[in-house]
């Protein structure tokens, strides 16, 4: 960043918080952010620049999803919430990603879909199993010519 308009005693090395302060804005989410440098002490003036914050794509190579234990069928949609890590850092549901589900009511293989939001983009899918309810089971056999 080139500093225009800063005037003061020259040093061979500027010192943050002695000679200047950095004032960021709009620097949380992907998109355009702003950084203002303001001279303090023997320095006066300000300069502002913009920069781009890039979003991160969720992929199988940079995301780890915790194992999802088998769940038992109970006539309701099953919605487990696994932990999601991006490059080893725990992400926050509804801040970094949302969850949706497929085939998550009946027994068999169900899927949780992790979709990036704000600074994260992309989608990861993780399967889990809905097991049959255990307990007493009745088997009825129909015979055509039973007497």
């Amino acid at each position: 960043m080139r500093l225009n308009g800063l005037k003061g005693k020259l040093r061979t090395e500027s010192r943050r918080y002695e000679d200047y302060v950095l004032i960021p804005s709009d620097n949380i989410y992907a998109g355009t952010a702003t950084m203002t440098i303001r001279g303090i002490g023997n320095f006066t003036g300000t300069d502002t620049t913009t920069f781009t914050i890039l979003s991160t794509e969720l992929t199988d190579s940079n995301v780890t999803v915790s194992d999802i234990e088998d769940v038992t069928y109970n006539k309701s949609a099953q919605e487990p919430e696994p932990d999601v890590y991006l490059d080893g850092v725990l992400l926050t549901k509804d801040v970094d990603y949302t969850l949706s589900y497929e085939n998550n009511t009946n027994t068999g293989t169900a899927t949780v879909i992790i979709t990036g939001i704000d600074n994260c983009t992309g989608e990861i899918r993780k399967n889990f199993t809905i097991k049959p309810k255990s307990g007493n089971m009745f088997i009825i056999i129909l015979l055509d010519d039973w007497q």
Side-chain angles (χ1 to χ4, degrees), residues 44-60:
T44 61
T46 62
D47 194 17
T48 300
T49 190
T50 59
F51 59 96
T52 301
I53 299 173
L54 302 175
S55 59
T56 299
E57 173 109 20
L58 302 180
T59 66
D60 289 329

PDB file of all heavy atoms in Angstrom, residues 44-60:
ATOM      1  N   THR A  44       0.756  12.590  10.471  1.00  0.00           N
ATOM      2  CA  THR A  44      -0.634  12.993  10.252  1.00  0.00           C
ATOM      3  C   THR A  44      -1.076  12.486   8.890  1.00  0.00           C
ATOM      4  O   THR A  44      -0.266  12.103   8.061  1.00  0.00           O
ATOM      5  CB  THR A  44      -0.791  14.523  10.286  1.00  0.00           C
ATOM      6  OG1 THR A  44       0.011  15.084   9.250  1.00  0.00           O
ATOM      7  CG2 THR A  44      -0.382  15.092  11.641  1.00  0.00           C
ATOM      8  N   GLY A  45      -2.365  12.474   8.690  1.00  0.00           N
ATOM      9  CA  GLY A  45      -2.911  12.087   7.398  1.00  0.00           C
ATOM     10  C   GLY A  45      -3.458  10.673   7.418  1.00  0.00           C
ATOM     11  O   GLY A  45      -3.255   9.918   8.362  1.00  0.00           O
ATOM     12  N   THR A  46      -4.187  10.361   6.365  1.00  0.00           N
ATOM     13  CA  THR A  46      -4.762   9.029   6.224  1.00  0.00           C
ATOM     14  C   THR A  46      -4.652   8.586   4.775  1.00  0.00           C
ATOM     15  O   THR A  46      -4.517   9.412   3.871  1.00  0.00           O
ATOM     16  CB  THR A  46      -6.251   8.992   6.629  1.00  0.00           C
ATOM     17  OG1 THR A  46      -6.979   9.863   5.765  1.00  0.00           O
ATOM     18  CG2 THR A  46      -6.464   9.374   8.072  1.00  0.00           C
ATOM     19  N   ASP A  47      -4.706   7.294   4.581  1.00  0.00           N
ATOM     20  CA  ASP A  47      -4.785   6.727   3.239  1.00  0.00           C
ATOM     21  C   ASP A  47      -5.641   5.476   3.346  1.00  0.00           C
ATOM     22  O   ASP A  47      -5.600   4.770   4.362  1.00  0.00           O
ATOM     23  CB  ASP A  47      -3.400   6.399   2.694  1.00  0.00           C
ATOM     24  CG  ASP A  47      -3.432   6.139   1.195  1.00  0.00           C
ATOM     25  OD1 ASP A  47      -4.426   6.516   0.533  1.00  0.00           O
ATOM     26  OD2 ASP A  47      -2.471   5.547   0.678  1.00  0.00           O
ATOM     27  N   THR A  48      -6.397   5.212   2.311  1.00  0.00           N
ATOM     28  CA  THR A  48      -7.317   4.080   2.311  1.00  0.00           C
ATOM     29  C   THR A  48      -7.089   3.251   1.058  1.00  0.00           C
ATOM     30  O   THR A  48      -6.839   3.794  -0.018  1.00  0.00           O
ATOM     31  CB  THR A  48      -8.778   4.589   2.349  1.00  0.00           C
ATOM     32  OG1 THR A  48      -8.953   5.359   3.534  1.00  0.00           O
ATOM     33  CG2 THR A  48      -9.758   3.430   2.364  1.00  0.00           C
ATOM     34  N   THR A  49      -7.179   1.945   1.231  1.00  0.00           N
ATOM     35  CA  THR A  49      -7.092   1.045   0.086  1.00  0.00           C
ATOM     36  C   THR A  49      -8.134  -0.052   0.256  1.00  0.00           C
ATOM     37  O   THR A  49      -8.627  -0.281   1.372  1.00  0.00           O
ATOM     38  CB  THR A  49      -5.681   0.435  -0.047  1.00  0.00           C
ATOM     39  OG1 THR A  49      -5.586  -0.235  -1.293  1.00  0.00           O
ATOM     40  CG2 THR A  49      -5.379  -0.527   1.082  1.00  0.00           C
ATOM     41  N   THR A  50      -8.480  -0.684  -0.844  1.00  0.00           N
ATOM     42  CA  THR A  50      -9.410  -1.804  -0.784  1.00  0.00           C
ATOM     43  C   THR A  50      -8.672  -3.078  -1.164  1.00  0.00           C
ATOM     44  O   THR A  50      -7.633  -3.039  -1.839  1.00  0.00           O
ATOM     45  CB  THR A  50     -10.611  -1.611  -1.736  1.00  0.00           C
ATOM     46  OG1 THR A  50     -10.134  -1.470  -3.058  1.00  0.00           O
ATOM     47  CG2 THR A  50     -11.433  -0.395  -1.335  1.00  0.00           C
ATOM     48  N   PHE A  51      -9.199  -4.190  -0.712  1.00  0.00           N
ATOM     49  CA  PHE A  51      -8.654  -5.493  -1.064  1.00  0.00           C
ATOM     50  C   PHE A  51      -9.795  -6.491  -1.089  1.00  0.00           C
ATOM     51  O   PHE A  51     -10.887  -6.216  -0.610  1.00  0.00           O
ATOM     52  CB  PHE A  51      -7.549  -5.923  -0.094  1.00  0.00           C
ATOM     53  CG  PHE A  51      -7.969  -6.011   1.342  1.00  0.00           C
ATOM     54  CD1 PHE A  51      -8.354  -7.221   1.906  1.00  0.00           C
ATOM     55  CD2 PHE A  51      -7.985  -4.877   2.150  1.00  0.00           C
ATOM     56  CE1 PHE A  51      -8.743  -7.305   3.225  1.00  0.00           C
ATOM     57  CE2 PHE A  51      -8.368  -4.948   3.480  1.00  0.00           C
ATOM     58  CZ  PHE A  51      -8.745  -6.166   4.019  1.00  0.00           C
ATOM     59  N   THR A  52      -9.537  -7.643  -1.669  1.00  0.00           N
ATOM     60  CA  THR A  52     -10.575  -8.650  -1.834  1.00  0.00           C
ATOM     61  C   THR A  52     -10.353  -9.808  -0.880  1.00  0.00           C
ATOM     62  O   THR A  52      -9.238 -10.343  -0.787  1.00  0.00           O
ATOM     63  CB  THR A  52     -10.587  -9.173  -3.283  1.00  0.00           C
ATOM     64  OG1 THR A  52     -10.810  -8.068  -4.160  1.00  0.00           O
ATOM     65  CG2 THR A  52     -11.680 -10.205  -3.484  1.00  0.00           C
ATOM     66  N   ILE A  53     -11.413 -10.179  -0.183  1.00  0.00           N
ATOM     67  CA  ILE A  53     -11.401 -11.387   0.645  1.00  0.00           C
ATOM     68  C   ILE A  53     -12.063 -12.480  -0.191  1.00  0.00           C
ATOM     69  O   ILE A  53     -13.211 -12.334  -0.618  1.00  0.00           O
ATOM     70  CB  ILE A  53     -12.170 -11.179   1.966  1.00  0.00           C
ATOM     71  CG1 ILE A  53     -11.512 -10.064   2.784  1.00  0.00           C
ATOM     72  CG2 ILE A  53     -12.245 -12.484   2.747  1.00  0.00           C
ATOM     73  CD1 ILE A  53     -12.287  -9.679   4.027  1.00  0.00           C
ATOM     74  N   LEU A  54     -11.315 -13.537  -0.435  1.00  0.00           N
ATOM     75  CA  LEU A  54     -11.826 -14.626  -1.257  1.00  0.00           C
ATOM     76  C   LEU A  54     -12.568 -15.643  -0.406  1.00  0.00           C
ATOM     77  O   LEU A  54     -12.211 -15.874   0.754  1.00  0.00           O
ATOM     78  CB  LEU A  54     -10.674 -15.317  -1.990  1.00  0.00           C
ATOM     79  CG  LEU A  54      -9.833 -14.417  -2.886  1.00  0.00           C
ATOM     80  CD1 LEU A  54      -8.654 -15.198  -3.457  1.00  0.00           C
ATOM     81  CD2 LEU A  54     -10.674 -13.824  -4.003  1.00  0.00           C
ATOM     82  N   SER A  55     -13.582 -16.263  -0.975  1.00  0.00           N
ATOM     83  CA  SER A  55     -14.269 -17.342  -0.272  1.00  0.00           C
ATOM     84  C   SER A  55     -13.454 -18.620  -0.433  1.00  0.00           C
ATOM     85  O   SER A  55     -12.598 -18.730  -1.303  1.00  0.00           O
ATOM     86  CB  SER A  55     -15.683 -17.528  -0.825  1.00  0.00           C
ATOM     87  OG  SER A  55     -15.625 -17.814  -2.203  1.00  0.00           O
ATOM     88  N   THR A  56     -13.700 -19.580   0.436  1.00  0.00           N
ATOM     89  CA  THR A  56     -13.014 -20.867   0.390  1.00  0.00           C
ATOM     90  C   THR A  56     -13.995 -21.933  -0.040  1.00  0.00           C
ATOM     91  O   THR A  56     -15.095 -22.034   0.501  1.00  0.00           O
ATOM     92  CB  THR A  56     -12.457 -21.221   1.788  1.00  0.00           C
ATOM     93  OG1 THR A  56     -11.516 -20.216   2.165  1.00  0.00           O
ATOM     94  CG2 THR A  56     -11.779 -22.559   1.775  1.00  0.00           C
ATOM     95  N   GLU A  57     -13.595 -22.727  -1.011  1.00  0.00           N
ATOM     96  CA  GLU A  57     -14.440 -23.816  -1.509  1.00  0.00           C
ATOM     97  C   GLU A  57     -14.302 -25.018  -0.593  1.00  0.00           C
ATOM     98  O   GLU A  57     -13.188 -25.452  -0.281  1.00  0.00           O
ATOM     99  CB  GLU A  57     -14.017 -24.191  -2.927  1.00  0.00           C
ATOM    100  CG  GLU A  57     -14.729 -25.403  -3.436  1.00  0.00           C
ATOM    101  CD  GLU A  57     -15.737 -25.090  -4.524  1.00  0.00           C
ATOM    102  OE1 GLU A  57     -15.630 -24.029  -5.138  1.00  0.00           O
ATOM    103  OE2 GLU A  57     -16.619 -25.918  -4.731  1.00  0.00           O
ATOM    104  N   LEU A  58     -15.435 -25.545  -0.128  1.00  0.00           N
ATOM    105  CA  LEU A  58     -15.431 -26.768   0.663  1.00  0.00           C
ATOM    106  C   LEU A  58     -15.241 -27.943  -0.293  1.00  0.00           C
ATOM    107  O   LEU A  58     -16.036 -28.124  -1.219  1.00  0.00           O
ATOM    108  CB  LEU A  58     -16.742 -26.924   1.426  1.00  0.00           C
ATOM    109  CG  LEU A  58     -17.121 -25.787   2.385  1.00  0.00           C
ATOM    110  CD1 LEU A  58     -18.457 -26.093   3.054  1.00  0.00           C
ATOM    111  CD2 LEU A  58     -16.039 -25.560   3.416  1.00  0.00           C
ATOM    112  N   THR A  59     -14.200 -28.721  -0.074  1.00  0.00           N
ATOM    113  CA  THR A  59     -13.929 -29.881  -0.920  1.00  0.00           C
ATOM    114  C   THR A  59     -13.580 -31.077  -0.028  1.00  0.00           C
ATOM    115  O   THR A  59     -13.273 -30.910   1.159  1.00  0.00           O
ATOM    116  CB  THR A  59     -12.751 -29.631  -1.885  1.00  0.00           C
ATOM    117  OG1 THR A  59     -11.549 -29.479  -1.113  1.00  0.00           O
ATOM    118  CG2 THR A  59     -12.974 -28.398  -2.741  1.00  0.00           C
ATOM    119  N   ASP A  60     -13.579 -32.250  -0.627  1.00  0.00           N
ATOM    120  CA  ASP A  60     -13.202 -33.451   0.128  1.00  0.00           C
ATOM    121  C   ASP A  60     -11.760 -33.393   0.599  1.00  0.00           C
ATOM    122  O   ASP A  60     -11.395 -34.053   1.569  1.00  0.00           O
ATOM    123  CB  ASP A  60     -13.425 -34.707  -0.717  1.00  0.00           C
ATOM    124  CG  ASP A  60     -14.909 -35.001  -0.915  1.00  0.00           C
ATOM    125  OD1 ASP A  60     -15.702 -34.678  -0.014  1.00  0.00           O
ATOM    126  OD2 ASP A  60     -15.265 -35.559  -1.971  1.00  0.00           O
TER     127      ASP A  60
END
